Amino acid sequence: MLDVPVPITIVHQSDHELVVVKPANLASEHTRDPQADSLVFRLGQQGFAGLRCVHRLDGPACGLMLVARTAESARHYSAEIEKRHWHKWYVARLAVPVRVASLLVGSHKAYLSTDGKSAVVVRSGGKPSFLDVAAAAPAPGLPDASDVLIELHTGRFHQIRVMMANLGAPLVGDDRYGGPPAPAMYLEHVMLGARPFGGTGWHVWTAP
């Protein structure tokens, strides 16, 4: 029997955008092959056409994504992202005990560049990248791991993964950046605050 793709969970729907939950290990979009399995392809199978990704999550990551439904809303959200008006919160599972993760609470800055399919921290010439580690807690059932709440201020390629690894706390299961082996990596976009297209105030969406 053929596997049927799991439908994408929709948190919010309007004429201008969708806020959805991307499963882990699913690409946000395949621009070279629109028929390949991805978040945008599955939403198309669910009846949504003309979608435009204004931001993306890493393939292994899961959680909230906002997808524009019109060119006008795509321009609005792209401009808001460029101005750093979005508020993005993630939970990441780090391969260090909570006593170590707690020392990372605070603001962090790095300059990032790309090397093939990986991000690297560089001394100069990279893009300035900012995040705050807001809190740390023990990972359930894993004494040598911890879960941290991260506010991401810039959305660089693999930013959380490479910055945490550079701080000596790679994500569990993230072998690309030195994390120990695990069945899966846990990085979830859990909350997004943005000004909806055509609106005047802020709205906050949370992952179910």
Side-chain angles (χ1 to χ4, degrees):
M1 187 172 72
L2 294 176
D3 291 334
V4 178
V6 176
I8 299 299
T9 299
I10 298 173
V11 175
H12 162 81
Q13 176 180 342
S14 79
D15 292 338
H16 308 295
E17 73 280 309
L18 301 172
V19 178
V20 302
V21 179
K22 186 187 88 67
N25 301 313
L26 179 70
S28 299
E29 184 179 26
H30 288 293
T31 55
R32 294 185 179 180
D33 183 5
Q35 298 304 308
D37 191 23
S38 70
L39 175 81
V40 170
F41 175 77
R42 292 193 192 183
L43 288 171
Q45 298 294 99
Q46 291 172 226
F48 298 101
L51 300 177
R52 296 164 171 83
C53 281
V54 295
H55 70 124
R56 290 169 173 79
L57 297 182
D58 293 353
C62 62
L64 296 173
M65 275 189 61
L66 188 150
V67 184
R69 301 186 69 183
T70 66
E72 293 79 12
S73 64
R75 284 193 291 269
H76 164 78
Y77 288 117
S78 294
E80 290 285 285
I81 294 170
E82 183 69 22
K83 296 173 184 175
R84 299 183 189 171
H85 285 174
W86 276 19
H87 297 276
K88 300 171 289 184
W89 294 83
Y90 289 75
V91 174
R93 181 155 294 164
L94 307 183
V96 293
V98 69
R99 60 177 176 77
V100 176
S102 297
L103 300 176
L104 302 177
V105 171
S107 299
H108 299 277
K109 176 182 179 181
Y111 292 92
L112 302 186
S113 186
T114 55
D115 182 8
K117 295 183 178 181
S118 298
V120 291
V121 176
V122 295
R123 291 180 177 269
S124 62
K127 295 180 179 179
S129 307
F130 305 89
L131 60 77
D132 291 342
V133 178
L142 299 172
D144 294 325
S146 55
D147 290 343
V148 292
L149 179 64
I150 294 172
E151 184 176 11
L152 188 65
H153 300 293
T154 48
R156 310 302 186 198
F157 178 65
H158 290 184
Q159 181 179 337
I160 291 175
R161 297 164 63 186
V162 70
M163 286 183 68
M164 290 297 98
N166 189 64
L167 291 167
L171 274 66
V172 173
D174 191 3
D175 56 358
R176 181 177 293 275
Y177 296 106
M185 186 183 84
Y186 177 54
L187 176 61
E188 182 176 8
H189 188 198
V190 295
M191 188 165 66
L192 169 63
R195 292 188 287 195
F197 175 73
T200 57
W202 286 87
H203 193 91
V204 176
W205 293 283
T206 57

